[in-house]
Amino acid sequence: MAATAVAATPTPPKNGRIIASPRARKLAKELNLDLATLTGSGPNGRIIAEDVETASGRPAAVGTLPQIPAPAVSKPVAAPTPVTVPLGQVAPMNTLQNAVVRNMTASLSVPVFRVGYTITTDGLDQLYKQLKSKGVTMTALLAKAVAVTLQKHPILNASYVENGIQYRAGINIAIAVAMPDGGLITPVLKNADQIDLYSLSRTWKDLVERSRAKQLQPDEYSSGTFTLSNLGMFGVDKFDAILPAGQGSILAIGASRPQLVVAADGSMAVKRQMQVNITCDHRIIYGADAATFLQSLAKLIETNVQSLTM
């Protein structure tokens, strides 16, 4: 991947040694960038990871992909960097892209249906603001909320097997993450209903970092029992997700936005809301199953979100 030219003058080495953070050195090595050509924005001209990412055009925070924007203003999330190829030519797919092709082709044989729901997120956004400084991510909050809800709706965590229903012993939440060089991977938060928010957040950060470095073991991205796909950080209001092979459900999450809401008594108020759409395997899951699951999820997020910290 070609590096984007840096306008400023590169930071001169001190005593023949380039000053750079360990993370910056690791990223530069992964992206084949020469640190001597970069300008450091850290203390005393130190080159930091953000300098390397900026120079390479690489997204600054792939790990935040599954997050819903909080009310506070945050830095925009960059889209995955497209592979540059001459127009008119065929670009070969990498291993991850070929895996997506196989899985999506297999999914076409499954009869599915979709159900949408609107969830008010004022409480969720407020809780995220309170816990963000302690390392809790929106991804962990969403995964925990879904996992706790699945405890009451095990059919949504099940999958179809030959002439039967496979009820899963654990609730493993897979979360779709776009890779910078193309393709899609779904790191898995295992037993997410049993793990506290702080541990879930640390585990998620580790999974994303190792997925970037292509260091995940197969069991860490192929053991999901329920999948989350979030395009909310890109400003997407709502979308439909394709059911992953071997699972019964996938939840598509849109952006959380301020909306003017009219109550039953005619009063009006501005509330933050997000659109979610669930895709289910109709061989084992029916409309009422999906609807009651979404009702339970909405009730948890809207009225009892603090319970996720317990």
Side-chain angles (χ1 to χ4, degrees), residues 243-306:
L243 185 69
Q247 293 185 29
S249 306
I250 180 172
L251 186 67
I253 302 174
S256 176
R257 299 183 183 280
Q259 303 287 348
L260 182 62
V261 179
V262 180
D265 61 2
S267 62
M268 296 184 292
V270 175
K271 297 183 178 181
R272 294 186 65 85
Q273 295 184 325
M274 68 179 180
Q275 298 285 329
V276 298
N277 288 278
I278 193 167
T279 301
C280 300
D281 185 340
H282 212 340
R283 294 173 297 185
I284 61 172
I285 301 170
Y286 306 119
D289 298 320
T292 54
F293 166 78
L294 293 177
Q295 283 182 330
S296 295
L297 179 62
K299 183 178 180 180
L300 171 62
I301 290 176
E302 293 174 352
T303 68
N304 196 26
V305 72
Q306 289 289 340

Short mmCIF file of all heavy atoms in Angstrom, two decimals, residues 243-306:
data_model
loop_
_atom_site.label_atom_id
_atom_site.label_comp_id
_atom_site.label_asym_id
_atom_site.label_seq_id
_atom_site.Cartn_x
_atom_site.Cartn_y
_atom_site.Cartn_z
N LEU A 243 -27.34 -13.62 6.84
CA LEU A 243 -27.14 -14.61 7.90
C LEU A 243 -25.84 -15.39 7.69
O LEU A 243 -25.61 -15.95 6.62
CB LEU A 243 -28.32 -15.58 7.92
CG LEU A 243 -28.34 -16.62 9.05
CD1 LEU A 243 -28.61 -15.92 10.37
CD2 LEU A 243 -29.42 -17.66 8.78
N PRO A 244 -24.96 -15.45 8.70
CA PRO A 244 -23.73 -16.23 8.57
C PRO A 244 -24.05 -17.73 8.55
O PRO A 244 -25.01 -18.19 9.17
CB PRO A 244 -22.94 -15.87 9.84
CG PRO A 244 -23.57 -14.61 10.34
CD PRO A 244 -25.01 -14.69 9.96
N ALA A 245 -23.23 -18.48 7.87
CA ALA A 245 -23.42 -19.92 7.81
C ALA A 245 -23.27 -20.52 9.21
O ALA A 245 -22.39 -20.14 9.97
CB ALA A 245 -22.38 -20.55 6.87
N GLY A 246 -24.16 -21.44 9.56
CA GLY A 246 -24.07 -22.13 10.84
C GLY A 246 -24.68 -21.41 12.02
O GLY A 246 -24.59 -21.88 13.15
N GLN A 247 -25.31 -20.25 11.77
CA GLN A 247 -25.96 -19.51 12.85
C GLN A 247 -27.43 -19.31 12.54
O GLN A 247 -27.87 -19.44 11.39
CB GLN A 247 -25.28 -18.16 13.07
CG GLN A 247 -23.86 -18.28 13.60
CD GLN A 247 -23.24 -16.92 13.92
OE1 GLN A 247 -23.93 -15.97 14.25
NE2 GLN A 247 -21.92 -16.85 13.82
N GLY A 248 -28.20 -18.97 13.57
CA GLY A 248 -29.63 -18.77 13.38
C GLY A 248 -30.04 -17.32 13.26
O GLY A 248 -31.13 -17.03 12.75
N SER A 249 -29.18 -16.39 13.72
CA SER A 249 -29.56 -14.97 13.73
C SER A 249 -28.36 -14.05 13.58
O SER A 249 -27.26 -14.39 14.01
CB SER A 249 -30.28 -14.63 15.04
OG SER A 249 -31.36 -15.48 15.30
N ILE A 250 -28.62 -12.88 13.01
CA ILE A 250 -27.63 -11.80 12.96
C ILE A 250 -28.39 -10.49 13.14
O ILE A 250 -29.45 -10.30 12.55
CB ILE A 250 -26.82 -11.80 11.65
CG1 ILE A 250 -25.80 -10.65 11.67
CG2 ILE A 250 -27.72 -11.73 10.43
CD1 ILE A 250 -24.82 -10.70 10.49
N LEU A 251 -27.85 -9.58 13.97
CA LEU A 251 -28.51 -8.31 14.25
C LEU A 251 -27.73 -7.17 13.59
O LEU A 251 -26.54 -6.99 13.85
CB LEU A 251 -28.58 -8.08 15.76
CG LEU A 251 -29.38 -6.85 16.22
CD1 LEU A 251 -30.86 -7.03 15.90
CD2 LEU A 251 -29.19 -6.62 17.72
N ALA A 252 -28.41 -6.41 12.73
CA ALA A 252 -27.82 -5.25 12.07
C ALA A 252 -28.18 -4.00 12.87
O ALA A 252 -29.36 -3.76 13.14
CB ALA A 252 -28.34 -5.13 10.64
N ILE A 253 -27.18 -3.20 13.22
CA ILE A 253 -27.37 -2.04 14.09
C ILE A 253 -27.05 -0.76 13.33
O ILE A 253 -25.97 -0.61 12.76
CB ILE A 253 -26.49 -2.13 15.34
CG1 ILE A 253 -26.80 -3.42 16.10
CG2 ILE A 253 -26.69 -0.91 16.24
CD1 ILE A 253 -25.88 -3.68 17.27
N GLY A 254 -28.02 0.19 13.32
CA GLY A 254 -27.83 1.46 12.66
C GLY A 254 -27.37 2.53 13.63
O GLY A 254 -27.13 2.27 14.82
N ALA A 255 -27.26 3.75 13.14
CA ALA A 255 -26.76 4.87 13.95
C ALA A 255 -27.79 5.30 14.99
O ALA A 255 -28.99 5.19 14.80
CB ALA A 255 -26.42 6.04 13.04
N SER A 256 -27.28 5.79 16.10
CA SER A 256 -28.12 6.38 17.14
C SER A 256 -28.22 7.88 16.85
O SER A 256 -27.21 8.57 16.79
CB SER A 256 -27.49 6.14 18.52
OG SER A 256 -28.22 6.79 19.53
N ARG A 257 -29.46 8.37 16.65
CA ARG A 257 -29.66 9.76 16.27
C ARG A 257 -30.74 10.42 17.12
O ARG A 257 -31.67 9.75 17.57
CB ARG A 257 -30.09 9.85 14.80
CG ARG A 257 -29.10 9.31 13.79
CD ARG A 257 -29.62 9.54 12.38
NE ARG A 257 -28.75 8.99 11.36
CZ ARG A 257 -27.64 9.59 10.92
NH1 ARG A 257 -27.28 10.75 11.43
NH2 ARG A 257 -26.90 9.04 9.98
N PRO A 258 -30.66 11.74 17.30
CA PRO A 258 -31.74 12.46 18.00
C PRO A 258 -33.00 12.45 17.13
O PRO A 258 -32.94 12.72 15.92
CB PRO A 258 -31.18 13.88 18.16
CG PRO A 258 -29.71 13.77 17.93
CD PRO A 258 -29.53 12.64 16.98
N GLN A 259 -34.13 12.11 17.73
CA GLN A 259 -35.41 12.06 17.02
C GLN A 259 -36.47 12.77 17.85
O GLN A 259 -36.47 12.70 19.08
CB GLN A 259 -35.83 10.61 16.77
CG GLN A 259 -34.84 9.76 16.00
CD GLN A 259 -34.77 10.10 14.53
OE1 GLN A 259 -35.62 10.83 14.01
NE2 GLN A 259 -33.76 9.59 13.84
N LEU A 260 -37.40 13.43 17.16
CA LEU A 260 -38.54 14.02 17.84
C LEU A 260 -39.59 12.93 18.03
O LEU A 260 -40.10 12.37 17.06
CB LEU A 260 -39.12 15.17 17.01
CG LEU A 260 -40.32 15.92 17.63
CD1 LEU A 260 -39.89 16.58 18.94
CD2 LEU A 260 -40.86 16.96 16.66
N VAL A 261 -39.88 12.60 19.29
CA VAL A 261 -40.77 11.49 19.61
C VAL A 261 -42.05 12.03 20.23
O VAL A 261 -42.02 12.87 21.13
CB VAL A 261 -40.08 10.51 20.60
CG1 VAL A 261 -41.02 9.37 20.96
CG2 VAL A 261 -38.79 9.98 19.97
N VAL A 262 -43.19 11.53 19.74
CA VAL A 262 -44.49 11.91 20.27
C VAL A 262 -45.00 10.79 21.16
O VAL A 262 -45.14 9.65 20.73
CB VAL A 262 -45.50 12.18 19.14
CG1 VAL A 262 -46.85 12.59 19.72
CG2 VAL A 262 -44.98 13.26 18.20
N ALA A 263 -45.27 11.10 22.44
CA ALA A 263 -45.76 10.11 23.39
C ALA A 263 -47.25 9.87 23.19
O ALA A 263 -47.93 10.58 22.44
CB ALA A 263 -45.49 10.59 24.81
N ALA A 264 -47.76 8.86 23.88
CA ALA A 264 -49.17 8.50 23.75
C ALA A 264 -50.09 9.63 24.19
O ALA A 264 -51.21 9.78 23.68
CB ALA A 264 -49.46 7.24 24.57
N ASP A 265 -49.64 10.47 25.13
CA ASP A 265 -50.47 11.57 25.61
C ASP A 265 -50.34 12.82 24.75
O ASP A 265 -50.90 13.87 25.08
CB ASP A 265 -50.12 11.90 27.06
CG ASP A 265 -48.66 12.35 27.22
OD1 ASP A 265 -47.94 12.43 26.20
OD2 ASP A 265 -48.24 12.61 28.36
N GLY A 266 -49.59 12.72 23.66
CA GLY A 266 -49.44 13.85 22.75
C GLY A 266 -48.26 14.74 23.04
O GLY A 266 -47.94 15.63 22.24
N SER A 267 -47.57 14.52 24.14
CA SER A 267 -46.39 15.33 24.46
C SER A 267 -45.23 14.93 23.55
O SER A 267 -45.15 13.80 23.07
CB SER A 267 -45.99 15.13 25.92
OG SER A 267 -45.66 13.77 26.18
N MET A 268 -44.33 15.89 23.35
CA MET A 268 -43.20 15.65 22.45
C MET A 268 -41.88 15.83 23.18
O MET A 268 -41.78 16.66 24.08
CB MET A 268 -43.27 16.57 21.23
CG MET A 268 -44.47 16.34 20.33
SD MET A 268 -44.46 17.38 18.86
CE MET A 268 -44.72 18.99 19.61
N ALA A 269 -40.90 15.06 22.78
CA ALA A 269 -39.57 15.16 23.37
C ALA A 269 -38.55 14.67 22.36
O ALA A 269 -38.87 13.88 21.46
CB ALA A 269 -39.48 14.34 24.65
N VAL A 270 -37.31 15.16 22.50
CA VAL A 270 -36.22 14.70 21.64
C VAL A 270 -35.50 13.57 22.35
O VAL A 270 -35.02 13.74 23.48
CB VAL A 270 -35.25 15.84 21.31
CG1 VAL A 270 -34.05 15.31 20.51
CG2 VAL A 270 -35.96 16.94 20.54
N LYS A 271 -35.42 12.42 21.70
CA LYS A 271 -34.73 11.26 22.26
C LYS A 271 -33.81 10.67 21.20
O LYS A 271 -34.06 10.77 20.01
CB LYS A 271 -35.74 10.20 22.72
CG LYS A 271 -36.67 10.67 23.83
CD LYS A 271 -37.59 9.55 24.29
CE LYS A 271 -38.47 10.00 25.45
NZ LYS A 271 -39.36 8.90 25.92
N ARG A 272 -32.75 10.03 21.68
CA ARG A 272 -31.84 9.35 20.75
C ARG A 272 -32.37 7.95 20.49
O ARG A 272 -32.73 7.22 21.42
CB ARG A 272 -30.42 9.29 21.33
CG ARG A 272 -29.77 10.65 21.48
CD ARG A 272 -28.32 10.53 21.92
NE ARG A 272 -27.52 9.88 20.90
CZ ARG A 272 -26.95 10.52 19.88
NH1 ARG A 272 -27.13 11.81 19.73
NH2 ARG A 272 -26.22 9.87 19.00
N GLN A 273 -32.43 7.59 19.23
CA GLN A 273 -32.96 6.28 18.86
C GLN A 273 -32.08 5.64 17.80
O GLN A 273 -31.41 6.32 17.02
CB GLN A 273 -34.39 6.40 18.32
CG GLN A 273 -35.41 6.87 19.34
CD GLN A 273 -36.82 6.89 18.79
OE1 GLN A 273 -37.05 7.17 17.63
NE2 GLN A 273 -37.79 6.56 19.66
N MET A 274 -32.09 4.30 17.78
CA MET A 274 -31.38 3.57 16.73
C MET A 274 -32.30 2.51 16.15
O MET A 274 -33.20 2.00 16.82
CB MET A 274 -30.10 2.92 17.27
CG MET A 274 -30.32 1.79 18.23
SD MET A 274 -28.73 1.08 18.79
CE MET A 274 -29.32 -0.22 19.91
N GLN A 275 -32.08 2.22 14.89
CA GLN A 275 -32.84 1.18 14.19
C GLN A 275 -32.02 -0.11 14.19
O GLN A 275 -30.83 -0.10 13.84
CB GLN A 275 -33.11 1.60 12.75
CG GLN A 275 -33.95 2.86 12.59
CD GLN A 275 -35.41 2.61 12.91
OE1 GLN A 275 -35.92 1.52 12.69
NE2 GLN A 275 -36.08 3.63 13.41
N VAL A 276 -32.64 -1.21 14.59
CA VAL A 276 -31.99 -2.51 14.51
C VAL A 276 -32.86 -3.43 13.64
O VAL A 276 -34.08 -3.32 13.64
CB VAL A 276 -31.77 -3.15 15.90
CG1 VAL A 276 -30.86 -2.27 16.74
CG2 VAL A 276 -33.08 -3.38 16.62
N ASN A 277 -32.20 -4.29 12.89
CA ASN A 277 -32.91 -5.26 12.04
C ASN A 277 -32.28 -6.63 12.24
O ASN A 277 -31.06 -6.78 12.11
CB ASN A 277 -32.80 -4.86 10.56
CG ASN A 277 -33.65 -3.65 10.23
OD1 ASN A 277 -34.84 -3.77 10.01
ND2 ASN A 277 -33.03 -2.48 10.20
N ILE A 278 -33.10 -7.61 12.56
CA ILE A 278 -32.59 -8.95 12.78
C ILE A 278 -32.96 -9.84 11.60
O ILE A 278 -34.07 -9.76 11.06
CB ILE A 278 -33.12 -9.54 14.11
CG1 ILE A 278 -32.35 -10.80 14.48
CG2 ILE A 278 -34.62 -9.80 14.07
CD1 ILE A 278 -32.59 -11.27 15.91
N THR A 279 -32.00 -10.63 11.16
CA THR A 279 -32.22 -11.62 10.11
C THR A 279 -32.16 -13.00 10.76
O THR A 279 -31.20 -13.30 11.49
CB THR A 279 -31.13 -11.52 9.02
OG1 THR A 279 -31.15 -10.21 8.46
CG2 THR A 279 -31.37 -12.54 7.92
N CYS A 280 -33.16 -13.83 10.51
CA CYS A 280 -33.26 -15.13 11.18
C CYS A 280 -33.47 -16.26 10.19
O CYS A 280 -34.06 -16.08 9.12
CB CYS A 280 -34.42 -15.13 12.18
SG CYS A 280 -34.29 -13.91 13.48
N ASP A 281 -33.02 -17.45 10.58
CA ASP A 281 -33.25 -18.69 9.83
C ASP A 281 -34.68 -19.14 10.09
O ASP A 281 -35.02 -19.56 11.20
CB ASP A 281 -32.25 -19.75 10.31
CG ASP A 281 -32.32 -21.03 9.50
OD1 ASP A 281 -33.34 -21.27 8.83
OD2 ASP A 281 -31.35 -21.82 9.56
N HIS A 282 -35.52 -19.08 9.04
CA HIS A 282 -36.95 -19.36 9.22
C HIS A 282 -37.24 -20.86 9.40
O HIS A 282 -38.37 -21.23 9.71
CB HIS A 282 -37.76 -18.82 8.03
CG HIS A 282 -39.13 -18.38 8.40
ND1 HIS A 282 -39.78 -18.80 9.54
CD2 HIS A 282 -39.99 -17.54 7.77
CE1 HIS A 282 -40.98 -18.25 9.60
NE2 HIS A 282 -41.14 -17.48 8.55
N ARG A 283 -36.24 -21.69 9.26
CA ARG A 283 -36.45 -23.12 9.48
C ARG A 283 -36.65 -23.43 10.96
O ARG A 283 -37.32 -24.41 11.32
CB ARG A 283 -35.27 -23.94 8.93
CG ARG A 283 -35.12 -23.88 7.42
CD ARG A 283 -33.84 -24.55 6.95
NE ARG A 283 -32.64 -23.88 7.47
CZ ARG A 283 -31.40 -24.23 7.13
NH1 ARG A 283 -31.20 -25.24 6.29
NH2 ARG A 283 -30.36 -23.58 7.63
N ILE A 284 -36.05 -22.59 11.83
CA ILE A 284 -36.15 -22.87 13.26
C ILE A 284 -36.68 -21.69 14.08
O ILE A 284 -37.11 -21.85 15.22
CB ILE A 284 -34.78 -23.29 13.85
CG1 ILE A 284 -33.75 -22.16 13.69
CG2 ILE A 284 -34.28 -24.57 13.18
CD1 ILE A 284 -32.44 -22.42 14.42
N ILE A 285 -36.64 -20.48 13.50
CA ILE A 285 -37.06 -19.27 14.21
C ILE A 285 -38.23 -18.66 13.46
O ILE A 285 -38.21 -18.56 12.23
CB ILE A 285 -35.90 -18.27 14.31
CG1 ILE A 285 -34.72 -18.90 15.06
CG2 ILE A 285 -36.34 -16.99 15.03
CD1 ILE A 285 -33.44 -18.08 15.00
N TYR A 286 -39.24 -18.21 14.19
CA TYR A 286 -40.43 -17.63 13.58
C TYR A 286 -40.55 -16.16 13.96
O TYR A 286 -39.84 -15.66 14.84
CB TYR A 286 -41.67 -18.43 13.99
CG TYR A 286 -41.52 -19.90 13.69
CD1 TYR A 286 -41.58 -20.84 14.71
CD2 TYR A 286 -41.29 -20.36 12.39
CE1 TYR A 286 -41.42 -22.20 14.45
CE2 TYR A 286 -41.14 -21.71 12.11
CZ TYR A 286 -41.20 -22.62 13.14
OH TYR A 286 -41.03 -23.96 12.88
N GLY A 287 -41.47 -15.48 13.29
CA GLY A 287 -41.62 -14.05 13.48
C GLY A 287 -41.82 -13.64 14.92
O GLY A 287 -41.23 -12.66 15.40
N ALA A 288 -42.67 -14.37 15.63
CA ALA A 288 -42.94 -14.03 17.03
C ALA A 288 -41.69 -14.19 17.89
O ALA A 288 -41.48 -13.42 18.83
CB ALA A 288 -44.06 -14.91 17.57
N ASP A 289 -40.85 -15.17 17.57
CA ASP A 289 -39.60 -15.37 18.31
C ASP A 289 -38.70 -14.15 18.17
O ASP A 289 -38.15 -13.64 19.16
CB ASP A 289 -38.84 -16.60 17.79
CG ASP A 289 -39.62 -17.89 17.96
OD1 ASP A 289 -40.27 -18.05 19.01
OD2 ASP A 289 -39.56 -18.73 17.05
N ALA A 290 -38.53 -13.67 16.94
CA ALA A 290 -37.67 -12.52 16.68
C ALA A 290 -38.25 -11.26 17.32
O ALA A 290 -37.52 -10.45 17.90
CB ALA A 290 -37.49 -12.32 15.18
N ALA A 291 -39.57 -11.09 17.21
CA ALA A 291 -40.21 -9.89 17.74
C ALA A 291 -40.08 -9.81 19.26
O ALA A 291 -39.78 -8.74 19.81
CB ALA A 291 -41.68 -9.85 17.34
N THR A 292 -40.31 -10.92 19.94
CA THR A 292 -40.21 -10.90 21.41
C THR A 292 -38.77 -10.71 21.87
O THR A 292 -38.52 -10.07 22.90
CB THR A 292 -40.80 -12.18 22.03
OG1 THR A 292 -40.16 -13.33 21.43
CG2 THR A 292 -42.30 -12.26 21.79
N PHE A 293 -37.82 -11.23 21.11
CA PHE A 293 -36.41 -10.99 21.43
C PHE A 293 -36.10 -9.50 21.34
O PHE A 293 -35.47 -8.93 22.25
CB PHE A 293 -35.50 -11.78 20.49
CG PHE A 293 -34.06 -11.34 20.53
CD1 PHE A 293 -33.23 -11.73 21.57
CD2 PHE A 293 -33.55 -10.51 19.54
CE1 PHE A 293 -31.90 -11.30 21.62
CE2 PHE A 293 -32.22 -10.08 19.58
CZ PHE A 293 -31.40 -10.48 20.62
N LEU A 294 -36.53 -8.85 20.26
CA LEU A 294 -36.26 -7.42 20.09
C LEU A 294 -36.97 -6.59 21.15
O LEU A 294 -36.42 -5.58 21.63
CB LEU A 294 -36.68 -6.97 18.69
CG LEU A 294 -35.86 -7.55 17.53
CD1 LEU A 294 -36.41 -7.09 16.20
CD2 LEU A 294 -34.38 -7.19 17.66
N GLN A 295 -38.16 -6.99 21.54
CA GLN A 295 -38.86 -6.31 22.62
C GLN A 295 -38.07 -6.39 23.92
O GLN A 295 -37.92 -5.39 24.65
CB GLN A 295 -40.24 -6.92 22.83
CG GLN A 295 -41.28 -6.50 21.80
CD GLN A 295 -42.64 -7.11 22.10
OE1 GLN A 295 -42.74 -8.20 22.67
NE2 GLN A 295 -43.70 -6.42 21.69
N SER A 296 -37.56 -7.57 24.21
CA SER A 296 -36.77 -7.76 25.44
C SER A 296 -35.49 -6.95 25.39
O SER A 296 -35.07 -6.35 26.40
CB SER A 296 -36.44 -9.24 25.64
OG SER A 296 -37.61 -10.00 25.85
N LEU A 297 -34.83 -6.93 24.25
CA LEU A 297 -33.59 -6.16 24.10
C LEU A 297 -33.87 -4.68 24.30
O LEU A 297 -33.12 -3.97 25.00
CB LEU A 297 -32.97 -6.41 22.73
CG LEU A 297 -31.68 -5.65 22.41
CD1 LEU A 297 -30.56 -6.04 23.37
CD2 LEU A 297 -31.25 -5.90 20.96
N ALA A 298 -34.94 -4.18 23.68
CA ALA A 298 -35.30 -2.77 23.82
C ALA A 298 -35.63 -2.43 25.27
O ALA A 298 -35.21 -1.38 25.78
CB ALA A 298 -36.49 -2.44 22.92
N LYS A 299 -36.36 -3.30 25.95
CA LYS A 299 -36.72 -3.04 27.34
C LYS A 299 -35.47 -2.96 28.22
O LYS A 299 -35.37 -2.08 29.09
CB LYS A 299 -37.66 -4.14 27.85
CG LYS A 299 -38.14 -3.91 29.27
CD LYS A 299 -39.12 -5.00 29.71
CE LYS A 299 -39.60 -4.76 31.13
NZ LYS A 299 -40.56 -5.82 31.57
N LEU A 300 -34.52 -3.84 27.98
CA LEU A 300 -33.28 -3.83 28.76
C LEU A 300 -32.52 -2.53 28.53
O LEU A 300 -32.08 -1.86 29.48
CB LEU A 300 -32.41 -5.02 28.36
CG LEU A 300 -30.98 -5.04 28.92
CD1 LEU A 300 -31.00 -5.11 30.43
CD2 LEU A 300 -30.20 -6.22 28.35
N ILE A 301 -32.35 -2.14 27.27
CA ILE A 301 -31.57 -0.95 26.95
C ILE A 301 -32.28 0.33 27.40
O ILE A 301 -31.64 1.28 27.86
CB ILE A 301 -31.28 -0.90 25.43
CG1 ILE A 301 -30.29 -2.01 25.05
CG2 ILE A 301 -30.73 0.46 25.01
CD1 ILE A 301 -30.01 -2.13 23.57
N GLU A 302 -33.60 0.35 27.30
CA GLU A 302 -34.35 1.57 27.60
C GLU A 302 -34.64 1.76 29.08
O GLU A 302 -34.75 2.90 29.56
CB GLU A 302 -35.66 1.56 26.81
CG GLU A 302 -35.47 1.68 25.29
CD GLU A 302 -36.75 1.53 24.52
OE1 GLU A 302 -37.80 1.18 25.11
OE2 GLU A 302 -36.73 1.79 23.28
N THR A 303 -34.81 0.66 29.82
CA THR A 303 -35.28 0.79 31.21
C THR A 303 -34.35 0.20 32.26
O THR A 303 -34.52 0.49 33.45
CB THR A 303 -36.66 0.13 31.37
OG1 THR A 303 -36.53 -1.30 31.21
CG2 THR A 303 -37.65 0.66 30.35
N ASN A 304 -33.39 -0.63 31.87
CA ASN A 304 -32.57 -1.30 32.88
C ASN A 304 -31.12 -1.47 32.43
O ASN A 304 -30.47 -2.46 32.73
CB ASN A 304 -33.18 -2.68 33.21
CG ASN A 304 -32.63 -3.27 34.49
OD1 ASN A 304 -32.19 -2.55 35.38
ND2 ASN A 304 -32.62 -4.59 34.58
N VAL A 305 -30.61 -0.50 31.69
CA VAL A 305 -29.28 -0.63 31.13
C VAL A 305 -28.20 -0.67 32.20
O VAL A 305 -27.12 -1.28 31.99
CB VAL A 305 -29.02 0.52 30.12
CG1 VAL A 305 -28.83 1.85 30.84
CG2 VAL A 305 -27.81 0.20 29.24
N GLN A 306 -28.45 -0.08 33.36
CA GLN A 306 -27.46 -0.10 34.44
C GLN A 306 -27.17 -1.52 34.92
O GLN A 306 -26.09 -1.78 35.48
CB GLN A 306 -27.94 0.75 35.62
CG GLN A 306 -27.94 2.26 35.36
CD GLN A 306 -26.54 2.84 35.31
OE1 GLN A 306 -25.58 2.24 35.80
NE2 GLN A 306 -26.41 4.00 34.68
#
